[in-house]
Amino acid sequence: MKLSRLALGLSLSAPALLLASPSALAQTLSGTVTNAAGKPLANATVEIEALKRVTSTNELGEFTFSNVKEGDYTLHIFASGFAHLHEHTQVQSDNAEGANFVLARSAIEVIDVHATPMHLSVMESATPVSVLSGETLRRQQAATLGDTLEKLPGVQSNFHGNVASTPIIRGLSGPRVLITQNGLDVSDVSRVGPDHAVASEASTAKQIEVLRGPATLFFGSGAIGGVVNVVDQRVPTSTETRGEFVLETQTVNDQKLETFNVTTGVDNIAFYADGFYRDSNDYETPVAPDIDDPDGAHVVENSNEESNGFTLGTSYLFDQGYVGVAVERFEREYGVPGHSHGGDTSVFADLEQTKYQLLGEYNFTNDFLQSVHFRAGYTDYEHAEVEGGLVGTTFSNETEELRVELLHKPMAGWRGGISLHYKGSDVFAQGEEAFTPPSEMEMFAVALMEERHFGDFLVQLGARAESVTLDASSVLLPELDAHEHDDEHDHDEHAHDEHEHEGSEFVRQFAVDQEFTPISLSAGVVYTINESYNVGVSLSRSERAPSASELLSFGPHIGTRTYEIGALFDLSEEGEFVLSQTAIDLETANNIDLTFRKTQGDVGFVFNAFYNQVDNYYFQEETGLFAESGHDHDHGEEGHGEEGHDEHSDELPVYLFGSADAILHGFELQVAWQTTDNLKLDFFADYVKARLKDGGALPRTSPMRVGSHVAYTLDNIRADLDITYFAKQDDISTFETETDGYTLVDASITYDIPLGDIDLSVYLSGENLTDEEARVHTSFLKDIAPRPGRNFAFGVRGYF
């Protein structure tokens, strides 16, 4: 039917086509991009937003698009060191020469965000966003994701002995912060416990994006505290040949790192490959790790790792978009500090993951739909905890995920679309430390996102509805001998009684089927005061379904050195754990963000203030009871070996998940000053106060920080200096100890060596140059695993 109408239309218009000039059907759109002084800007990116066509300027700042239909278009133009420009233009048959587009200087780098389906950058959104990319990413990359991101405002690390650190955003982490790879869940078990490493690699990433505050509209209820999105080019969108490689060695742990990524292609077929290998020993510290043994060795035992991975991807590019597929293999063996079973036998984790991703985009030419973006992924994850060559506990996670975003063309000035999202995961744990039973989670969601300009106001609206089911067919409720520690308690008698009942322990088993319907709403406004300043406000109400570990846990969690019991259970007046009679409620965050930015000029800044009231906040409460761990663990709390063993060394404090209303509020400040073409100064500060509404601080809250960065460039040399002060944290919860403040000093120097088609850089960097004793308050291992001591790294980095 469509073909017949097309043929009819062509036959009726044939005479007109013969008389009309070909230029009336397809025109050329060209122009020049300069700075405010009129100097041409080379390698600036120019995009026709509606057509998703992209090109770059030449050495004279010129760009050209051919075969562009007549009409009105918006150009998106940006370059490093300059503010983004969105400029309307017309394509007509009588176009003379191209227009001149002027970019204003910006001290704060403006980077587009890939995590969201709609266009978003760090200086244009009502939602606070940070992006780590380019040279800054390479300079700050570490073996763990949390340590890589911790210099971003509002982001800190839970630092788990240099091997499994995860990011904390505004005092929230774990099941409240979602970690994604190219917009899809990374699908490991890092959200279950701090001793589980994130299965993602920063050294091969193009950029890492952090959405602070609720990002539930795009990612679901698991992102109630924020999102970290690791972006790479595994599904390439260009056939241009380019790549990079890094060779590096460090002194504090004898680390060796080798990594590369490359993109190329032929005709419409693009190819991508990356790989990395990292090997390190136990790291050195300024002081003996155990504060109870100051004369001990200055090494954190069992903090070594060996990891490797590779990714292969390919895609087909066409005029309306692309479609591609990639496969990744990720392997990592790492020690678990503070986790050894009796004496010298250490425990290490053996992590293996295979990930498949299918990504694509199609741009329509009809009158309603503008484009469709789709992401699909399958992840098979497994890690085993190994002791003495034997597997003690195995964790696995098998996940399927699909996201489809349909964006419509502008309608009455509104731009946006609808998002459809499915995710299913099957999490399984087996062994003596499997504190959470096997469970299956399934989520279906639909979201609507719209935005519109009203003069100087940009209005952003969104809503999302989910259906979440959690099924566990074999939940265990054992008879637990939990007791207090007091002078009257006879440990030997307790052990004897336990032995008498061994073999007759009563365990109840039942099935759990929970259903939740989280609803999330958000509204944001950005007001452009003038060309240099804007102010934004974002309001959101986000609901979260509790995770399986928060509900179903019942057993020893050695990574946190606690005996964890989920919210599905309760402690009776008789001191026994029973099924809770309290309904399981959704966690609800009511969040407001205020943002004030200066976007242009030699001085730029971003100031964010937030207030987040969380109803039914799930957290672990100390019960005052202790329970047997199941075997003798050397946790590092009372020294090592026989001298440190006492009658309670095989016991863990019992923590019970409960819920209460909580309030988190604070601010983030970032200031950048381009003093000269060669010298740039940056300053940041962040603070969060996290407390229960009825009184009392939440545990392991990030301390206040103040930091500065100085960058100096001269010809082929660049020097960087970072100084970061972490304040003392004395706003603590019950059973928590204070943490002293400390200052970290880092520096690096880089020398660029052009070698034909390869830009080679040789660098020397130093971390913690003052060899400061630094214990991370948010870490479960702060007493036995302080930060590494003075460290030097030497490396070679190449771009082609």
Side-chain angles (χ1 to χ4, degrees):
M1 185 66 179
K2 291 182 179 180
L3 289 176
S4 62
R5 288 201 299 265
L6 176 61
L8 177 62
L10 288 175
S11 64
L12 293 176
S13 61
L17 290 174
L18 292 175
L19 295 174
S21 169
S23 63
L25 300 177
Q27 307 297 328
T28 297
L29 173 59
S30 61
T32 305
V33 180
T34 66
N35 61 15
K39 182 180 178 180
L41 294 179
N43 297 317
T45 300
V46 183
E47 177 188 14
I48 305 176
E49 292 186 345
L51 303 179
K52 299 294 183 180
R53 293 182 59 181
V54 179
T55 189
S56 298
T57 57
N58 60 21
E59 294 181 355
L60 300 178
E62 301 169 338
F63 68 90
T64 300
F65 291 98
S66 59
N67 298 321
V68 181
K69 293 182 179 180
E70 295 183 10
D72 295 333
Y73 298 95
T74 298
L75 294 182
H76 177 206
I77 306 174
F78 56 95
S80 178
F82 294 86
H84 287 214
L85 177 67
H86 296 271
E87 190 78 14
H88 295 286
T89 188
Q90 284 187 333
V91 176
Q92 299 176 343
S93 59
D94 58 349
N95 274 3
E97 54 187 42
N100 183 50
F101 300 93
V102 180
L103 296 188
R105 192 169 183 173
S106 176
I108 296 181
E109 190 171 8
V110 183
I111 305 172
D112 278 343
V113 177
H114 294 258
T116 60
M118 299 165 61
H119 172 259
L120 192 70
S121 78
V122 297
M123 301 295 276
E124 301 169 308
S125 169
T127 303
V129 185
S130 294
V131 179
L132 195 61
S133 67
E135 292 295 324
T136 306
L137 171 58
R138 292 296 170 249
R139 186 167 52 87
Q140 297 183 10
Q141 72 185 31
T144 66
L145 189 61
D147 297 343
T148 297
L149 298 174
E150 69 168 342
K151 289 183 180 178
L152 291 177
V155 184
Q156 295 199 33
S157 167
N158 70 356
F159 189 78
H160 201 80
N162 220 38
V163 295
S165 306
T166 54
I168 299 173
I169 301 178
R170 293 179 168 180
L172 299 176
S173 61
R176 297 177 180 88
V177 172
L178 182 64
I179 300 174
T180 62
Q181 186 100 30
N182 298 316
L184 295 172
D185 195 336
V186 73
S187 301
D188 52 27
V189 294
S190 61
R191 306 172 84 191
V192 174
D195 55 327
H196 300 156
V198 177
S200 185
E201 177 60 28
S203 68
T204 57
K206 173 187 175 184
Q207 66 184 49
I208 304 177
E209 306 160 350
V210 178
L211 279 66
R212 299 192 296 275
T216 53
L217 291 181
F218 305 110
F219 296 96
S221 63
I224 198 171
V227 167
V228 175
N229 184 41
V230 181
V231 181
D232 58 29
Q233 296 295 303
R234 65 181 57 196
V235 175
T237 57
S238 170
T239 58
E240 178 186 359
T241 298
R242 62 181 184 274
E244 65 175 311
F245 62 86
V246 176
L247 301 173
E248 182 183 280
T249 181
Q250 296 188 14
T251 60
V252 76
N253 55 0
D254 298 321
Q255 176 179 283
K256 307 294 187 297
L257 172 66
E258 304 165 7
T259 178
F260 81 94
N261 66 77
V262 60
T263 302
T264 188
V266 178
D267 296 329
N268 288 5
I269 307 297
F271 301 97
Y272 173 85
D274 72 34
F276 79 96
Y277 174 80
R278 179 186 292 107
D279 180 52
S280 64
N281 297 325
D282 295 341
Y283 71 88
E284 300 174 353
T285 66
V287 295
D290 193 337
I291 59 177
D292 295 326
D293 186 17
D295 297 324
H298 291 201
V299 172
V300 174
E301 301 288 346
N302 212 24
S303 61
N304 57 312
E305 73 146 310
E306 181 177 0
S307 56
N308 65 86
F310 69 88
T311 305
L312 298 175
T314 185
S315 60
Y316 175 69
L317 313 179
F318 48 93
D319 291 341
Q320 287 77 32
Y322 72 95
V323 61
V325 65
V327 58
E328 175 195 21
R329 179 66 177 177
F330 184 94
E331 297 180 356
R332 191 175 190 213
E333 286 187 3
Y334 62 96
V336 184
H339 187 168
S340 59
H341 297 174
D344 298 328
T345 305
S346 61
V347 176
F348 69 91
D350 185 2
L351 185 160
E352 297 180 353
Q353 177 177 273
T354 303
K355 181 187 295 289
Y356 302 90
Q357 288 193 344
L358 173 67
L359 309 178
E361 176 182 322
Y362 187 88
N363 298 292
F364 294 92
T365 58
N366 62 37
D367 293 332
F368 179 71
L369 285 178
Q370 176 173 298
S371 62
V372 57
H373 307 254
F374 58 89
R375 299 180 178 95
Y378 170 79
T379 303
D380 186 6
Y381 170 95
E382 180 176 294
H383 99 242
E385 294 187 353
V386 183
E387 175 191 2
L390 300 177
V391 175
T393 307
T394 300
F395 297 87
S396 66
N397 185 1
E398 190 173 346
T399 301
E400 308 92 23
E401 186 172 10
L402 173 65
R403 289 179 59 189
V404 178
E405 285 126 6
L406 295 165
L407 303 183
H408 62 76
K409 291 188 176 179
M411 300 174 58
W414 289 94
R415 301 171 59 93
I418 189 171
S419 173
L420 305 175
H421 192 185
Y422 166 80
K423 181 163 58 177
S425 63
D426 186 354
V427 180
F428 178 81
Q430 184 176 26
E432 56 190 9
E433 293 173 15
F435 58 94
T436 302
S439 63
E440 295 181 5
M441 186 280 295
E442 199 167 43
M443 181 271 294
F444 296 90
V446 58
L448 178 66
M449 298 154 285
E450 295 289 338
E451 68 176 22
R452 181 182 173 181
H453 284 275
F454 294 90
D456 293 328
F457 291 88
L458 171 63
V459 178
Q460 298 174 327
L461 304 175
R464 179 183 176 104
E466 295 184 36
S467 173
V468 180
T469 59
L470 178 64
D471 296 328
S473 60
S474 182
V475 177
L476 303 180
L477 175 55
E479 187 176 273
L480 181 65
D481 182 15
H483 52 273
E484 298 179 352
H485 282 176
D486 53 50
D487 294 336
E488 299 178 359
H489 185 75
D490 189 335
H491 182 78
D492 292 333
E493 180 181 349
H494 161 70
H496 177 71
D497 291 342
E498 182 186 61
H499 181 74
E500 285 184 346
H501 293 286
E502 191 174 344
S504 61
E505 186 181 57
F506 179 66
V507 179
R508 282 169 283 178
Q509 179 175 328
F510 53 93
V512 171
D513 183 2
Q514 293 280 337
E515 295 185 8
F516 305 95
T517 308
I519 304 293
S520 298
L521 303 169
S522 78
V525 178
V526 180
Y527 171 56
T528 302
I529 301 173
N530 54 41
E531 291 183 350
S532 297
Y533 295 90
N534 67 44
V535 61
V537 58
S538 176
L539 302 171
S540 64
R541 178 179 174 84
S542 307
E543 295 181 331
R544 180 180 75 91
S547 66
S549 60
E550 291 172 310
L551 286 183
L552 310 178
S553 296
F554 205 116
H557 188 179
I558 306 305
T560 60
R561 295 179 290 166
T562 60
Y563 198 102
E564 292 189 3
I565 298 179
L568 199 65
F569 309 100
D570 204 353
L571 184 61
S572 69
E573 295 181 357
E574 292 76 19
E576 297 181 352
F577 287 96
V578 297
L579 283 176
S580 174
Q581 301 303 310
T582 304
I584 302 299
D585 292 324
L586 291 168
E587 187 176 276
T588 304
N590 301 283
N591 188 81
I592 180 171
D593 262 289
L594 299 175
T595 302
F596 182 42
R597 307 182 184 99
K598 185 177 186 296
T599 62
Q600 298 184 14
D602 292 333
V603 177
F605 63 79
V606 179
F607 175 74
N608 301 311
F610 65 91
Y611 183 91
N612 191 6
Q613 178 177 316
V614 187
D615 300 333
N616 300 314
Y617 181 90
Y618 285 89
F619 68 105
Q620 291 177 304
E621 297 178 278
E622 172 78 55
T623 64
L625 303 177
F626 293 81
E628 300 290 336
S629 66
H631 43 244
D632 187 20
H633 279 74
D634 175 10
H635 300 147
E637 294 176 304
E638 304 292 342
H640 303 279
E642 294 297 330
E643 294 181 1
H645 186 84
D646 64 18
E647 63 177 356
H648 300 308
S649 63
D650 190 32
E651 294 181 345
L652 299 173
V654 178
Y655 280 78
L656 177 64
F657 274 98
S659 64
D661 295 343
I663 295 174
L664 299 93
H665 59 88
F667 71 87
E668 298 119 12
L669 173 64
Q670 179 185 4
V671 181
W673 180 22
Q674 189 75 50
T675 59
T676 68
D677 289 339
N678 303 105
L679 181 64
K680 183 179 180 183
L681 306 178
D682 290 278
F683 168 85
F684 83 92
D686 56 23
Y687 169 77
V688 59
K689 183 175 180 63
R691 58 186 173 85
L692 295 175
K693 192 173 182 180
D694 294 335
L698 290 175
R700 287 174 295 280
T701 299
S702 309
M704 181 177 178
R705 293 184 305 173
V706 177
S708 62
H709 172 238
V710 181
Y712 181 77
T713 58
L714 179 63
D715 297 328
N716 293 351
I717 297 178
R718 175 187 171 108
D720 295 271
L721 174 66
D722 289 279
I723 302 176
T724 308
Y725 169 69
F726 291 75
K728 177 181 180 179
Q729 182 56 287
D730 54 8
D731 188 10
I732 57 177
S733 66
T734 309
F735 303 103
E736 201 179 6
T737 59
E738 297 181 358
T739 306
D740 292 336
Y742 54 90
T743 301
L744 297 180
V745 180
D746 306 330
S748 66
I749 185 168
T750 304
Y751 182 69
D752 296 330
I753 308 173
L755 293 175
D757 294 333
I758 298 178
D759 294 326
L760 196 67
S761 298
V762 179
Y763 61 91
L764 174 66
S765 65
E767 297 176 323
N768 194 7
L769 292 176
T770 59
D771 210 27
E772 180 95 347
E773 177 185 353
R775 299 186 184 272
V776 181
H777 182 76
T778 54
S779 172
F780 281 89
L781 301 180
K782 70 172 184 176
D783 292 341
I784 66 172
R787 289 181 184 269
R790 184 183 295 112
N791 177 39
F792 292 99
F794 175 76
V796 178
R797 183 163 50 239
Y799 300 92
F800 57 90

